[in-house]
Amino acid sequence: MAGRRGRQRVIGQRLEIRQGQGLVITPQLQQAIKLLQLSNQELDEYVEAELEKNPLLQREEPESAPEPARELAADAAELSFADAEVSDRATTVDAREDDVYGDATPGERTSDRLSDEAASQPGLSDWSAAGKGGSFNDGDGGERPERHDPTLWEHLQAQASSAGFSAADHAVALALIDGVDDGGYLRGELEELADRLGCGLERIEAVLAVCHGFEPTGVMARSVPECLKLQLIERNRFDPAMAALLDNLDLLARRDLGALRKACSVDVDDLSEMISELKALTPRPGAGFAGEIAQTVIPDVHVRPDPAGGWKVELNSDTLPRLLVDKRYHASVSAGARTEAEKTFVADCAAQANWLVKSLDQRAKTILKVGSEIVRQQDAFLAFGVEFLRPLNLKTVADAIGMHESTVSRVTSNKYVSTPRGVFELKFFFTAAIQATDGGASHSAEAVRHRIRSMIDHEGRDGDVLSDDRIVEILKEAGIDIARRTVAKYREALRIPSSVERRRMLKAG
């Protein structure tokens, strides 16, 4: 019995102090990261909600812009690449401030620093924990984006991204999609688009021919007859009689069936059947996507030619929400606060207001800094057209401006730049690279695809059909290191048949 008692463990309480490292991300950091990747429309909605909740915030009036706002306008002023390149010294923002947006994962020094700031500001942590700070999470730390049905523009964008276009053709496709109205018809002249993008009309027409295969069938047609023609082709019902019927829709509208039968060279029964088939088609293929009002794309950054040479980059001031902290009202309500709850509420509002103003200022500077570097990297595209897109990735831009890759990724999401060649999303300028055999400059993957297509397009003229192996040899002779399976993948993405099928087609004329 005594032996058992000697082996029994004693249960008690004791106090220990341990030191260790942990991964912590504050609600303020979560909001700062989310704030950077919001589009200008989403940001405006968020700021409007903050104005309703926080009595210390107010919009800046253009007539009475205070000194801090003038400083922000100066920071967001034009940058000229004719004088100097963007560098770490091109902005007055402390590198530690960039880390607020640069750290995609918790636990970096930014989290610790913001935690210290939150601890030094009365009620700041309580504010966010209580949900009064407009947190973007639902309490479990996970972001839950709202779901919505895709618009016609988004639907076409997704198909263009998976169509295997080269970078140049993808730019043309995006420009064409921008000209589609709510009914699904393409508006605008192709010649004007070709002149604006700096490419030939043949390229525009070739890309449009691929886009005519997008869903819904008939979309991006330039007229009602063309829209109906695309749908008839899909149903394998387009023949000379149907072509004549589409060319004489005015006779059908006047119900001049006699003249219509003569124009189509068919009898009464055939004409009746053709009209029934025509009625089964959809004259407005985009009508099914009319549930959501299409929003006009407002650029966040403007790029203009510099008379002295190079390009000027400036923020779109119309998309920048300008907020101020009402210090007079803050002093008034602080003096009138009596209970601890009132004092805590005022302190929370002041801390949240100061943080939001500072974050908006940092967001504007970061967008300008990233956009400026992208323009510097892709200046050849702006000067000469889509054929001169350079290989570019997030790391190249991030290293050039001294930021984290995740920061560049967030900045380029849902941000648009207005250039002399049109409005493009910032992510458009990032293209893959293929290494050179001689160790020289890398080649853009889109440029390689374009070269493969050009070689195959000239097969009929040269009287020879190039196999994938032969294309690899030609590309390696040109200094492009590429594998045969990569050539096959690019060829299939471009919807080009194999060499065997092309040889059969060539023999068949």
Side-chain angles (χ1 to χ4, degrees):
M1 191 69 178
R4 291 183 180 179
R5 290 180 180 176
R7 291 194 299 268
Q8 288 180 350
R9 296 181 179 179
V10 179
I11 300 176
Q13 296 180 350
R14 57 181 178 179
L15 183 62
E16 293 183 355
I17 299 178
R18 295 182 180 179
Q19 184 178 7
Q21 294 181 345
L23 301 180
V24 179
I25 184 169
T26 65
Q28 285 72 33
L29 179 57
Q30 294 178 9
Q31 290 179 330
I33 293 174
K34 185 68 175 181
L35 195 66
L36 184 62
Q37 62 190 17
L38 292 179
S39 65
N40 48 41
Q41 296 176 355
E42 295 169 338
L43 180 64
D44 188 66
E45 295 175 359
Y46 173 72
V47 169
E48 196 64 35
E50 288 296 316
L51 286 170
E52 294 179 1
K53 293 187 295 185
N54 196 329
L56 300 183
L57 279 174
Q58 65 177 10
R59 287 191 181 273
E60 174 191 340
E61 297 297 334
E63 297 80 10
S64 59
E67 199 62 29
R70 295 193 187 99
E71 294 178 1
L72 174 58
D75 289 327
E78 300 171 347
L79 291 182
S80 175
F81 295 108
D83 301 329
E85 298 181 355
V86 176
S87 63
D88 294 340
R89 299 179 181 177
T91 179
T92 58
V93 182
D94 192 335
R96 294 175 300 172
E97 295 298 327
D98 294 335
D99 290 342
V100 175
Y101 304 102
D103 296 336
T105 59
E108 300 292 340
R109 61 181 182 275
T110 306
S111 302
D112 300 332
R113 179 170 56 80
L114 288 183
S115 299
D116 296 337
E117 291 181 1
S120 63
Q121 297 175 352
L124 186 58
S125 298
D126 297 337
W127 170 276
S128 298
K132 299 179 182 178
S135 177
F136 285 86
N137 57 60
D138 55 358
D140 58 359
E143 298 177 1
R144 298 179 182 271
E146 296 182 359
R147 295 182 180 179
H148 68 283
D149 295 332
T151 62
L152 176 61
W153 184 81
E154 294 171 340
H155 184 64
L156 296 176
Q157 279 274 12
Q159 295 180 78
S161 299
S162 59
F165 285 128
S166 65
D169 290 345
H170 190 237
V172 173
L174 294 180
L176 290 171
I177 292 173
D178 287 340
V180 177
D181 62 12
D182 294 338
Y185 287 90
L186 178 63
R187 305 304 180 186
E189 297 295 332
L190 300 184
E191 292 80 2
E192 296 179 1
L193 181 61
D195 183 64
R196 179 164 60 88
L197 293 180
C199 61
L201 181 61
E202 298 79 7
R203 176 183 290 275
I204 303 291
E205 293 175 343
V207 174
L208 180 59
V210 177
C211 294
H212 280 162
F214 290 173
E215 293 291 338
T217 306
V219 72
M220 301 183 70
R222 287 164 288 181
S223 63
V224 174
E226 185 179 27
C227 176
L228 300 178
K229 174 184 176 181
L230 294 173
Q231 298 179 53
L232 289 170
I233 292 175
E234 183 191 42
R235 301 186 180 192
N236 198 23
R237 289 294 297 127
F238 185 73
D239 51 26
M242 274 294 188
L245 178 60
L246 295 180
D247 291 338
N248 295 275
L249 290 180
D250 56 333
L251 297 179
L252 180 61
R254 296 197 303 265
R255 296 188 178 278
D256 191 350
L257 301 184
L260 200 57
R261 287 197 304 271
K262 183 177 179 181
C264 298
S265 301
V266 295
D267 55 23
V268 177
D269 294 337
D270 289 339
L271 181 61
S272 177
E273 183 180 352
M274 291 166 59
I275 295 176
S276 298
E277 292 179 0
L278 210 61
K279 290 180 179 180
L281 304 179
T282 305
R284 286 176 55 86
F289 295 84
E292 184 174 342
I293 300 177
Q295 299 291 340
T296 303
V297 174
I298 302 176
D300 301 85
V301 181
H302 290 301
V303 178
R304 298 181 176 89
D306 189 347
W311 303 94
K312 288 185 177 181
V313 183
E314 59 185 4
L315 290 175
N316 184 0
S317 58
D318 295 336
T319 64
L320 295 177
R322 300 183 181 275
L323 300 180
L324 296 176
V325 180
D326 194 338
K327 296 183 179 179
R328 293 184 179 179
Y329 185 65
H330 179 216
S332 176
V333 295
S334 297
R338 298 179 181 179
T339 64
E340 287 296 327
E342 293 175 352
K343 294 178 181 179
T344 302
F345 174 75
V346 174
D348 290 344
C349 289
Q352 185 70 9
N354 287 320
W355 169 85
L356 183 57
V357 172
K358 180 180 179 181
S359 297
L360 291 175
D361 176 78
Q362 177 64 33
R363 177 183 182 273
K365 294 175 181 177
T366 306
I367 293 175
L368 181 63
K369 195 173 184 180
V370 173
S372 299
E373 179 61 22
I374 291 176
V375 171
R376 189 183 71 84
Q377 295 280 354
Q378 298 289 6
D379 58 343
F381 161 75
L382 298 175
F384 305 109
V386 291
E387 295 287 347
F388 295 86
L389 276 171
R390 296 171 180 168
L392 186 64
N393 54 34
L394 296 175
K395 188 176 185 303
T396 302
V397 176
D399 292 343
I401 61 179
M403 290 184 178
H404 197 277
E405 291 181 45
S406 60
T407 303
V408 180
S409 177
R410 291 186 180 93
V411 169
T412 53
S413 296
N414 303 315
K415 308 296 187 306
Y416 294 85
V417 54
S418 173
T419 72
R421 300 199 175 276
V423 179
F424 303 95
E425 189 177 9
L426 288 178
K427 282 188 176 297
F428 161 78
F429 296 99
F430 294 95
T431 60
I434 295 179
Q435 298 299 323
T437 56
D438 56 358
S442 300
H443 302 271
S444 170
E446 284 72 16
V448 174
R449 291 191 187 99
H450 178 70
R451 183 173 296 195
I452 293 174
R453 172 181 285 178
S454 299
M455 287 190 293
I456 294 178
D457 288 342
H458 289 79
E459 285 179 339
R461 305 174 189 176
D462 300 337
D464 187 21
V465 175
L466 301 175
S467 65
D468 292 345
D469 292 325
R470 179 55 184 159
I471 293 176
V472 170
E473 295 175 1
I474 296 176
L475 292 177
K476 287 188 175 180
E477 292 174 359
I480 302 175
D481 186 11
I482 191 171
R484 189 197 64 81
R485 62 179 179 275
T486 305
V487 171
K489 181 181 68 173
Y490 287 174
R491 176 178 52 75
E492 293 172 358
L494 294 171
R495 300 183 180 181
I496 298 175
S498 65
S499 58
V500 176
E501 296 176 356
R502 298 199 309 274
R503 190 174 289 108
R504 292 173 182 172
M505 295 168 59
L506 187 61
K507 290 181 179 179

